[in-house]
Amino acid sequence: MQVLQIILIIIPGVMATYIYEFKKKCNLNAKDWLYNSAKFILVIFWLINLIQYLRGWGSFDWTKFSVQFILKYIPLASMLAVILPHIQLYLDLKINSLK
């Protein structure tokens, strides 16, 4: 079900981009906003799949709607949406200090 992927991956990625933009205190243009959204969506997708694999759900069927799955992974995706922008800002600060 595509709704499951939207809820767990795309929405937290977009939320992370808004948090990143707010914490950076600048308005991103469309290209930068799409780049950061894609970056956060990819990282969240990768981390959720990694955690699924480590828990033993290596072959999860994304077409099923599972309440148990949603209850496990919505808090994780929300937590990643809040933490990842702070990590990105920290890495940006470190990279800029090296230049």
Side-chain angles (χ1 to χ4, degrees):
M1 186 175 243
Q2 299 301 327
V3 174
L4 183 62
Q5 291 178 345
I6 291 170
I7 291 171
L8 283 176
I9 299 165
I10 295 175
I11 292 174
V14 170
M15 287 173 36
T17 303
Y18 281 122
I19 293 170
Y20 177 74
E21 184 178 24
F22 177 75
K23 296 297 276 185
K24 196 171 179 177
K25 296 180 178 135
C26 70
N27 290 330
L28 299 174
N29 59 18
K31 180 182 173 187
D32 292 337
W33 193 89
L34 286 173
Y35 172 75
N36 283 309
S37 292
K39 178 176 55 177
F40 288 129
I41 288 168
L42 182 66
V43 169
I44 289 171
F45 179 72
W46 186 80
L47 288 173
I48 285 177
N49 283 325
L50 175 69
I51 291 169
Q52 282 178 346
Y53 180 75
L54 292 175
R55 285 187 174 176
W57 287 19
S59 62
F60 180 75
D61 184 14
W62 280 91
T63 61
K64 291 191 311 188
F65 188 77
S66 169
V67 174
Q68 179 186 12
F69 180 81
I70 291 290
L71 291 177
K72 282 184 181 178
Y73 289 100
I74 281 184
L76 175 65
S78 300
M79 187 173 61
L80 289 172
V82 172
I83 292 172
L84 287 176
H86 295 289
I87 293 172
Q88 180 65 36
L89 287 170
Y90 177 75
L91 292 175
D92 287 346
L93 180 68
K94 287 294 182 182
I95 290 172
N96 288 336
S97 67
L98 294 176
K99 290 182 180 179

